[in-house]
Amino acid sequence: MRRAGLGDGAAPGSYGNYGYASSGYNACEEENDRLTESLRSKVDAIKSLSIEIGHEVRNQNKLLSEMDSQFDSTTGFLGSRMGLSC
């Protein structure tokens, strides 16, 4: 991060932007922009991950439902073959 008053060519004592030294204000703005972009990329990654988790949960629920149905049919089949009532 750049330091206030170093290397941006601002005249000493020139103030703008609500009393902040121009170079200091610009450095803060650049840092804010960098941090905002970093946060945006993290939010995008979390959003993508949550969507993938949602797809995985739906697939797992479908498989569990199919397994439950198969167990029910197997239980009914075995029960009828062995003379058990379920």
Side-chain angles (χ1 to χ4, degrees):
M1 177 163 61
R2 295 183 330 191
R3 300 283 181 212
L6 295 177
D8 73 346
S14 82
Y15 293 94
N17 303 319
Y18 307 104
Y20 293 105
S22 293
S23 60
Y25 182 78
N26 289 337
C28 287
E29 283 297 312
E30 290 173 6
E31 181 72 6
N32 283 342
D33 290 343
R34 186 184 66 77
L35 292 172
T36 300
E37 186 58 36
S38 174
L39 182 60
R40 181 177 293 123
S41 68
K42 290 175 184 175
V43 168
D44 288 342
I46 291 171
K47 179 181 176 184
S48 175
L49 184 61
S50 66
I51 290 171
E52 290 178 25
I53 289 171
H55 291 307
E56 185 65 25
V57 166
R58 279 191 290 280
N59 288 335
Q60 294 294 326
N61 282 339
K62 180 181 174 192
L63 289 173
L64 288 172
S65 177
E66 290 171 359
M67 284 176 57
D68 187 45
S69 177
Q70 289 175 355
F71 278 124
D72 284 346
S73 89
T74 302
T75 301
F77 176 75
L78 289 175
S80 67
R81 294 289 180 218
M82 300 177 98
L84 302 175
S85 61
C86 293

